Amino acid sequence: LAHADTLVGNERKRTMVALRSLFAWATKNDVVFADPTRRIRVGQAADPVWQPLSPQQIARSVAVATTTEARLVVALASVHAARSGAIRRLLIDDVDLANYRLTIAGRSRPLDDLTGQLLIEWLEYRRERWPNTANRHLLLTRESAVNFGPICYSQIVKILRGLPGTIERLRIDRQLEEALVHGADPLHLAAVFKISESTAIRYASSARQLMERPGESQPVSSSRTQVSVERDGPR
């Protein structure tokens, strides 16, 4: 208890979780007769303040994404905030180039110029590489082209190997950027990205804290694709 009183926040939580694990093992193996951490409350740690990616990290992501497939995945995550599962499950029918729209996770969104151009390049490559495939998923590999299912998660990891951020990190950065640009409005975030109210509030809270303490955050990068956003998504 004396040691726990000297700790706060995440440090206290990590320490107490480690001590509970240690003494649980010690009690089970008869090293000690009683667990002194059993009645010590860990407490709830405050939600972290998400930080935007730096311009250097954005530039490196663009530089490392050398293939058409990698650039498309990066655009879907960093412009449309798409999750890896949604990217893997995208179908050719979800791409409407005639009306310049893209359906992600069942929700139709306007296409920005960058993603639209990358989709055109990828579809051309896909047609040349696997002209006879019956798989209707947008992204293909040599293995999935002879089946009907989506590519596996490990393939997404392989596509983005070497990038400074995962798809989840790129997705978080996109939504945080939207929150910073539009005044930390959770209703706007929920409408644009179709996220839950609680998640939208967390993004808005992080953005609000970053705006109140600008010295602790990285500036919003101008090197990424800037898009205008209305209620139904980026234009």
Side-chain angles (χ1 to χ4, degrees):
L1 283 171
H3 179 64
D5 287 342
T6 66
L7 307 174
V8 295
N10 286 328
E11 184 181 6
R12 184 181 192 277
K13 182 177 180 180
R14 286 194 299 267
T15 300
M16 295 313 303
V17 168
L19 286 173
R20 281 186 171 183
S21 177
L22 170 64
F23 279 104
W25 172 87
T27 304
K28 181 179 179 181
N29 290 275
D30 297 327
V31 178
V32 297
F33 296 105
D35 182 354
T37 67
R38 179 173 296 175
R39 296 186 179 183
I40 301 178
R41 298 182 61 183
V42 174
Q44 297 294 323
D47 289 334
V49 177
W50 284 317
Q51 298 287 328
L53 292 172
S54 69
Q56 293 76 19
Q57 290 173 309
I58 296 293
R60 186 183 166 201
S61 294
V62 174
V64 173
T66 56
T67 67
T68 302
E69 185 180 26
R71 289 194 294 269
L72 176 59
V73 171
V74 168
L76 290 171
S78 61
V79 177
H80 297 273
R83 297 180 180 273
S84 60
I87 293 174
R88 291 168 47 229
R89 290 189 294 267
L90 278 172
L91 302 174
I92 292 180
D93 295 339
D94 292 327
V95 181
D96 184 359
L97 293 176
N99 296 306
Y100 229 55
R101 298 189 72 84
L102 175 66
T103 300
I104 301 177
R107 185 165 184 254
S108 179
R109 303 172 58 86
L111 266 178
D112 59 285
D113 291 338
L114 173 62
T115 309
Q117 182 58 42
L118 291 173
L119 281 168
I120 292 172
E121 293 176 6
W122 168 250
L123 288 171
E124 290 177 352
Y125 173 81
R126 184 186 187 281
R127 194 178 303 113
E128 294 175 359
R129 181 69 175 81
W130 299 286
N132 300 316
T133 182
N135 193 323
R136 300 300 296 170
H137 286 88
L138 178 65
L139 296 181
L140 291 180
T141 63
R142 182 174 58 184
E143 293 77 16
S144 69
V146 296
N147 296 303
F148 298 99
I151 66 174
C152 60
Y153 176 75
S154 62
Q155 288 296 326
I156 289 285
V157 174
K158 183 178 179 181
I159 290 170
L160 298 182
R161 184 171 296 161
L163 266 68
T166 61
I167 284 184
E168 184 66 12
R169 186 65 186 87
L170 292 169
R171 188 182 70 83
I172 288 174
D173 185 66
R174 172 66 186 95
Q175 293 176 142
L176 181 58
E177 178 199 29
E178 187 71 18
L180 289 169
V181 170
H182 288 269
D185 181 358
L187 294 178
H188 174 81
L189 295 174
V192 170
F193 296 112
K194 202 176 181 181
I195 55 179
S196 67
E197 293 179 1
S198 60
T199 301
I201 290 172
R202 285 190 63 192
Y203 278 106
S205 176
S206 285
R208 194 173 297 110
Q209 292 183 63
L210 291 175
M211 289 187 290
E212 291 173 354
R213 296 175 292 178
E216 298 181 13
S217 66
Q218 299 288 346
V220 176
S221 172
S222 60
S223 61
R224 83 178 75 203
T225 303
Q226 298 295 320
V227 291
S228 298
V229 181
E230 28 173 50
R231 286 286 177 184
D232 62 346
R235 252 193 263 184

